[in-house]
Every structure is written in structure tokens, then in C-alpha cells.
Amino acid sequence: ETLRLKAMPCAGAVIVCYVGVSTLVPCVAHWQLHGFSPLQTFLAFFCGLNALICVWELALAYELRRIESDFRKMKERYAADRLRALGDFFLAPAEWSLAFWSRIWSTYALYDESYADKRSYGYWIDVGNGHSTLLPSLLWLVGMTFPVLPPRWLGLIGLLAFYQEFYGTVLYFSQFVANKRHRGKTTLELALFVALSNGIWLVGPLVGFIASANLLFSQTFEIFR
């Protein structure tokens, strides 16, 4: 039986709380040790957020049958109001289980059916990212402040991880448009749930890639100081 969260029963509140804590705690530690760094602050936000998405992507990998089943039901239930599906998810009582968080994908599949189809590029790129970028994200979250690795090694890991995230997002946007998955969606839906949500994975990895190259070639952490 899954464990329900008592203090914050709402999934939306859990997400907001997590993003706040995963950004604020590393930033406060960095500010106390090295002073304020806009670059570290932004990448702390992005790496913490990406780690959360990685967990969701593990749910995408291991709860696909549930996602496919939920999507078929939701497609009928929310056919005339896809936004309500998102609201219902955010207001649902949260649980510590991949099964619960897999609902984010059956909901998103209302906008892009790739995420209920393991034959699609969208499915496999996110499953791959979930397995390969979780540890690098956590390592960067800590490594920008504490010298857990030499700058050269942290930079090398960052180059690989951030490049993969950026390249994957570019291809995702390309196939989304090429397959005309934007048709039948409102401008607001496309702006919020496709452009904004995925756009973060264009800007974040690009900034991270540049920071990684600096670490690799300068062999110092001065870019974060």
C-alpha cells in the first residue's frame, strides 16, 4: 500500500514545496560559503527540477501499462476540457509511489500521445534521460558548492549530461511539429504545456553546457564564485 503524504496532501503543493526546497537549500549553502552567484542559483533551480522530472521519467518507464490504461480513460473523460485534467492531478492527494506520479504522463499524453506509446521518440528520450541524468543532476546540485569532484571531472560530466538534455529537447520539439501534434490544441495549451515546460530544457542545458566547458578548461570553480 502506498504512503499518502499527510502534511501536504495535494500533488501540486508537493511539487511546489520540492522545487522551493531543492533550490533554496543549495543556494543558501552556496551564499554562506561563497557569496551570491546568479549562475549557481539558476542551475540549482534547473538541476533540482530535472532530478524531479527524472523520477517521473522512471515512472514513465516502469508504469507504462498503467499510463496507457489511464490515458484511454482520460481521453474520453477530458475530451472537451484537457485543462481540467491537469487541475485534477494537481489537486489529487499525493502518494510516495511511481504509480501515482505516472499520472503526470497520462495527463500530458492528452497533449502529446507519444507518452502513452513506447514506440515513440518522446517516450524513449524521456525514459533515457530519467535513467542517465538523475545522478549527474544531483552531483551538480552539490558540486557547484562543495568540491565533491575536481572541476575538470564535474565539467566533463556536465558536458555529457547537459548536451544530451539539450539535443533531446531539440529533437522532441522537431518531431512534435513534424508530426503535427500541435493541431487541435489552443495557443494557451501549447504555450503552457509544450513551449514553456519544454523550453526550460533548452535554456537550462545550454547554460549548464557553457558552465561545464568553463569548468573543464579553467579547472577552477571561479565561474560560481
Side-chain angles (χ1 to χ4, degrees):
E1 185 177 355
T2 54
L3 176 64
R4 289 185 181 277
L5 296 173
K6 300 297 184 180
M8 294 179 293
C10 171
V14 173
I15 295 170
V16 170
C17 183
Y18 166 82
V19 173
V21 171
S22 66
T23 302
L24 189 60
V25 171
C27 287
V28 169
H30 193 89
W31 299 342
Q32 290 180 337
L33 291 174
H34 309 293
F36 173 69
S37 166
L39 179 60
Q40 184 273 338
T41 299
F42 173 76
L43 286 177
F45 162 75
F46 176 73
C47 289
L49 179 61
N50 190 69
L52 174 64
I53 303 303
C54 285
V55 174
W56 291 355
E57 289 167 337
L58 295 180
L60 179 63
Y62 301 115
E63 295 288 345
L64 179 60
R65 289 186 179 179
R66 183 185 298 271
I67 293 169
E68 291 172 335
S69 176
D70 288 346
F71 171 63
R72 286 192 292 268
K73 299 172 186 176
M74 293 174 68
K75 194 173 182 180
E76 295 181 6
R77 182 179 179 184
Y78 298 105
D81 191 358
R82 287 184 293 262
L83 283 174
R84 187 164 64 89
L86 187 68
D88 287 350
F89 170 74
F90 281 136
L91 295 176
E95 299 174 4
W96 290 114
S97 71
L98 290 181
F100 173 80
W101 293 103
S102 72
R103 288 179 56 186
I104 195 69
W105 299 111
S106 50
T107 302
Y108 188 74
L110 295 172
Y111 298 93
D112 184 355
E113 296 187 11
S114 298
Y115 291 95
D117 181 3
K118 72 175 182 179
R119 298 169 299 176
S120 69
Y121 171 81
Y123 173 83
W124 283 107
I125 188 61
D126 275 23
V127 166
N129 282 341
H131 286 83
S132 64
T133 67
L134 176 57
L135 289 180
S137 295
L138 296 175
L139 187 60
W140 262 71
L141 198 59
V142 176
M144 289 184 289
T145 300
F146 302 99
V148 293
L149 283 178
R152 174 181 292 179
W153 283 105
L154 189 65
L156 180 60
I157 291 170
L159 282 177
L160 296 173
F162 290 125
Y163 174 78
Q164 176 183 319
E165 292 164 2
F166 180 82
Y167 180 72
T169 303
V170 169
L171 288 186
Y172 172 76
F173 270 126
S174 300
Q175 67 84 33
F176 185 86
V177 174
N179 292 322
K180 298 179 173 58
R181 298 189 187 276
H182 57 285
R183 291 186 175 179
K185 312 297 189 304
T186 67
T187 301
L188 177 62
E189 287 175 329
L190 291 172
L192 289 178
F193 306 118
V194 180
L196 178 61
S197 61
N198 288 279
I200 296 172
W201 271 264
L202 288 174
V203 178
L206 184 59
V207 172
F209 187 87
I210 294 171
S212 297
N214 182 278
L215 294 182
L216 185 63
F217 291 111
S218 72
Q219 299 186 41
T220 72
F221 289 104
E222 286 303 313
I223 195 171
F224 298 124
R225 304 296 186 256

